[in-house]
């Protein structure tokens, strides 16, 4: 089954304690990205990756890091979480290119609370 | 940069009736894709319908249809015969044909009342 798997689904942590949210896809997609969802703001892109070892900032990258060492995995790292990073996070993947299938596949979301 | 605007934060409709959700966008591109995603309480992001800008015909998927007005940069979603399971947050999204990034609107919370 084609899917994007995020873990954990829920996480409560304290300010300053490093954490990683994992994301894995089994569709051999080149493009992967992270979004955060906040009320009234929709989904905003944090970081994206066009392929292995190629990553770039999205609209709200401050306080986040990513890596793409393997095609299937795209972890999101919060080195020193702060309360303003409390949000719902989504990982997504898709093919790239003009002729690519246009649909993006989303993970199930990670609800992060930083206290 | 592209922007997507959903001006209706909340809407409600009676079961079996029709409701229309609005979306406008701004872009200088001529070729692009537009999408409506549904997010039920489970938080899952579900693709409802998509429209390719070069196609003049409005997309339809069962009870869901769009009114795509390219010149006006408008992309509304019509839900016919609303069902309780349609209760969800709905997001409008834009993607350039040559790119992979999705730009989302703020979302519209739709409630279908029995």
């Amino acid at each position: 089954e084609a899917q994007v798997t995020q873990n954990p689904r829920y996480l409560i942590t304290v300010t300053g304690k490093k954490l990683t949210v994992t994301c894995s896809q089994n569709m051999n997609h080149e493009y992967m990205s992270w979004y955060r969802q906040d009320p009234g703001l929709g989904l905003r892109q944090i970081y994206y990756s066009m392929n292995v070892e190629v990553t770039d900032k999205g609209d709200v990258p401050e306080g986040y890091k990513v890596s793409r060492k393997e095609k299937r995995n795209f972890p999101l790292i919060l080195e020193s979480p702060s309360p303003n990073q409390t949000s719902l996070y989504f990982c997504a993947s898709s093919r790239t290119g003009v002729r690519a299938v246009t649909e993006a596949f989303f993970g199930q979301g990670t609800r992060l609370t930083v206290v | 940069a592209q922007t997507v605007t959903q001006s209706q934060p909340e809407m409600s409709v009676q079961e079996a009736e029709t409701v229309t959700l609005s979306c406008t966008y701004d872009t200088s591109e001529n070729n692009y894709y537009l999408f409506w995603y549904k997010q039920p309480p489970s938080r899952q992001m579900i693709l409802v319908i998509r429209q390719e800008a070069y196609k003049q015909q409005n997309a339809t998927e069962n009870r869901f249809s769009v009114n795509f007005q390219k010149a006006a940069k408008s992309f509304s979603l019509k839900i016919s015969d609303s069902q309780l399971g349609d209760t969800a947050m709905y997001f409008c999204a834009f993607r350039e044909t040559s790119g992979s990034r999705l730009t989302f609107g703020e979302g519209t919370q739709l409630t279908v009342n029995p």
Side-chain angles (χ1 to χ4, degrees):
Chain A
E1 178 188 358
Q3 60 183 3
V4 177
T5 304
Q6 271 180 250
N7 280 299
R9 290 205 63 191
Y10 299 90
L11 180 60
I12 300 175
T13 191
V14 296
T15 299
K17 185 177 181 181
K18 181 180 178 180
L19 66 92
T20 300
V21 184
T22 63
C23 174
S24 181
Q25 51 95 2
N26 63 1
M27 296 164 281
N28 202 35
H29 286 163
E30 299 89 358
Y31 187 87
M32 298 186 73
S33 59
W34 278 100
Y35 295 87
R36 61 176 289 173
Q37 180 181 343
D38 302 290
L41 297 176
L43 282 77
R44 295 177 293 166
Q45 191 180 58
I46 302 170
Y47 266 95
Y48 66 95
S49 170
M50 298 294 288
N51 215 321
V52 176
E53 302 291 2
V54 181
T55 63
D56 209 346
K57 297 177 180 178
D59 296 320
V60 288
E62 292 77 21
Y64 304 95
K65 286 176 57 178
V66 293
S67 68
R68 188 89 181 271
K69 297 177 182 175
E70 304 166 282
K71 197 171 186 179
R72 64 183 292 124
N73 296 323
F74 190 47
L76 179 69
I77 303 158
L78 284 71
E79 294 271 1
S80 182
S82 62
N84 65 11
Q85 293 179 297
T86 292
S87 187
L88 176 60
Y89 291 85
F90 285 98
C91 179
S93 75
S94 63
R95 288 180 59 192
T96 57
V98 174
R99 301 185 188 279
V101 171
T102 58
E103 181 176 359
F105 292 78
F106 285 83
Q108 293 178 294
T110 297
R111 171 70 70 186
L112 173 65
T113 302
V114 183
V115 298
Chain B
Q2 289 77 21
T3 60
V4 178
T5 302
Q6 294 176 249
S7 59
Q8 306 153 313
E10 296 178 350
M11 293 192 72
S12 63
V13 64
Q14 293 298 123
E15 196 174 5
E17 294 187 348
T18 296
V19 64
T20 299
L21 308 184
S22 300
C23 173
T24 59
Y25 58 94
D26 189 22
T27 183
S28 58
E29 301 292 324
N30 191 48
N31 294 316
Y32 47 86
Y33 299 104
L34 294 163
F35 306 86
W36 279 98
Y37 281 89
K38 170 184 177 182
Q39 186 182 54
S42 67
R43 302 192 322 225
Q44 186 180 4
M45 292 290 285
I46 302 166
L47 179 64
V48 174
I49 199 166
R50 62 176 164 228
Q51 175 80 41
E52 291 152 270
Y54 67 86
K55 291 186 177 180
Q56 294 187 345
Q57 187 173 6
N58 289 323
T60 299
E61 289 286 342
N62 301 313
R63 298 184 294 107
F64 298 88
S65 61
V66 298
N67 183 4
F68 173 48
Q69 301 288 331
K70 190 173 184 179
K73 296 180 181 175
S74 171
F75 183 60
S76 61
L77 175 69
K78 186 171 83 171
I79 305 174
S80 304
D81 185 25
S82 297
Q83 301 176 359
L84 297 178
D86 294 333
T87 291
M89 180 73 81
Y90 287 82
F91 291 101
C92 178
F94 170 100
R95 201 201 94 173
E96 294 177 15
T97 303
S98 59
S100 301
R101 170 183 168 171
L102 285 168
T103 300
F104 287 88
E106 303 90 338
T108 296
Q109 176 64 50
L110 175 67
T111 301
V112 179
N113 298 308

